[in-house]
Amino acid sequence: MLAQVPAARVILTDVTRAAGITAIHDNGAQGRKLLPETMGAGAAFVDYDGDGDQDLVVVGGLLPGGGAPGGDRQRTRRWSTLYRNDGSGRFADVTAMVGLEVEAPPPVGQVRPLREVDARKSAADALQYGMGVAVADMDNDGWPDLAITSVGGVRLFRNEAGRRFVDVTSRAGFGDRRGFSTCAMWVDVDRDGLVDLLVCNYVQWTPQTDLYCSADGSRKTYCTPQAYRGSTSWLFRNLGNGRFADITATAGLFDVTGKALGATLLDHDQDGWPDLFIANDTVPNRLYRNNRDRTFTELGLQSGVAFSSDGRARAGMGVDAADVDNSGRVSVAVTNFSGEMLGLFMPQDAGVYVDAAPQGAIGRATRQTLGWGCFFFDVNLDGWQDLLVVNGLLDAALDRATGGASPSHLFLNRAGRFEDVARAAGDAFAAPRLGRGAAFADIDGDGDPDVVVTSNGGPVQLFRNDSTGSGAAVRLRLRGTLANRDAVGARVTGLVNGQRIARGVRTGSSYLSQSELVLTVGLGTAAALDQVVVEWPGRPPERLGRLPAGARYDITEGQGVTGRTPFKR
């Protein structure tokens, strides 16, 4: 059994202002109650310039100091804001310097319908409302690239040696793609050494087809997703020459009933091939098993993850997967609407999952909250994966007392039992918000994971992990050579005080957001991670032996440990 660190106290300190983060999500709301206004905003950690520090990209921010429309200064609208980390946890806005200051169109209610957009124009002309972001090195040149989703489709930015980003959407073959795109996830589905791109789509909607819905018969409210037809997600195979091919139909993922908001990577059957979990809003969740030939078989119903334990399709939004009980098998968390509780699908025998939430503290705590972003991480470094969930209502008008804001959950994993410690983690973190996206990374190099949270129509908030009495840790930055450069899909196992634990490299997850690709392994009271094995996707495993606590290790496929950076204290 992993040794616990009972003296640890989880503290998440709001350092947003001190860190230089000023982005505010712009939902474009002008009283018309258009569906996309309830959604957004994505965020992702990415070391875009290769200096070893985690930078931050936020989708749908405002330039600081901009005035409201009609005021002295017209508001400047962006698809994304990129902040460069100086290594100490302080950030500078470098959006314009790197070529990402692409002005967004007017709010969603003031644009032309998608069907009137000239198909010969670039994808940028059709994008209306920024949603999410996914990060990976799509061309294995050593520099992470960005996929940004929106109401209108997906936009691809190639990283040129950390100096600037270039829009390659049309060249990649995405220029004529139109959809209400939500989350995205890079994954090497065929293990050919190139990451492919899964883009999730929500419903068929335009400003001109927006429906009138009313809760009281007199005022318009936001319609539920049942009012709109679903839309298939897309799977694009990376061809290796800067172009992608749509293999959605041939891969078995074509599904016009889907209303996808979240996706995560897992190895459902532990065969070493990446499987896909897609969280759908008001329609069944999907679990796609990889058939190892660029096709998938959908197993959601028979595996037990499609519905709640009482047989209902829930409002799946955020999703993540991790080994929460150190059994070597991955569980899946899915956030849902208020009244539905979070789903925590834990693996049983024969590829079947059971929702453990109704019998535990997670179910009781989330029954009345509306969850969005979520992720597993080891916040106190005791070797057990904890769970953070961000909450917030769809519409501030639905609850005049709170303005729709809700506090987040932070479930501490106590050897398989979860306890919500959000209230004790700090007043700022526990404060209610219209939460949406969430991600984590070590922003200051001290070895523990810090947190970013976004809000609908509100500020981005950065929380530094100031927990006391936490355990020791190692951090692992994997670099593929024959496998894809970011080692997406790789799995690392090791012994901690005699117990084997596992961590995997994945993109996407949460809600419209992505956490860092560097792995953090909490060790509790142990002095090292022993008997370390890296299982590269499609390649023989490598045995690395013992890695002492207190440092980040660079691990290169076929070369073992190629660098060591001690934590800052």
Side-chain angles (χ1 to χ4, degrees), residues 46 48 56-57 80-84 92-95 98 100 165:
V46 51
Y48 86 93
L56 176 64
V57 59
S80 60
T81 301
L82 178 63
Y83 291 99
R84 182 181 182 273
D93 186 342
V94 296
T95 313
V98 299
L100 282 176
F165 287 87

Side-chain angles (χ1 to χ4, degrees), residues 28 30 77 79 103-111 127-129:
Q30 296 184 339
R77 308 174 60 84
W79 284 121
E103 187 173 345
V108 290
Q110 298 179 6
V111 298
L127 297 180
Q128 298 182 15
Y129 185 90

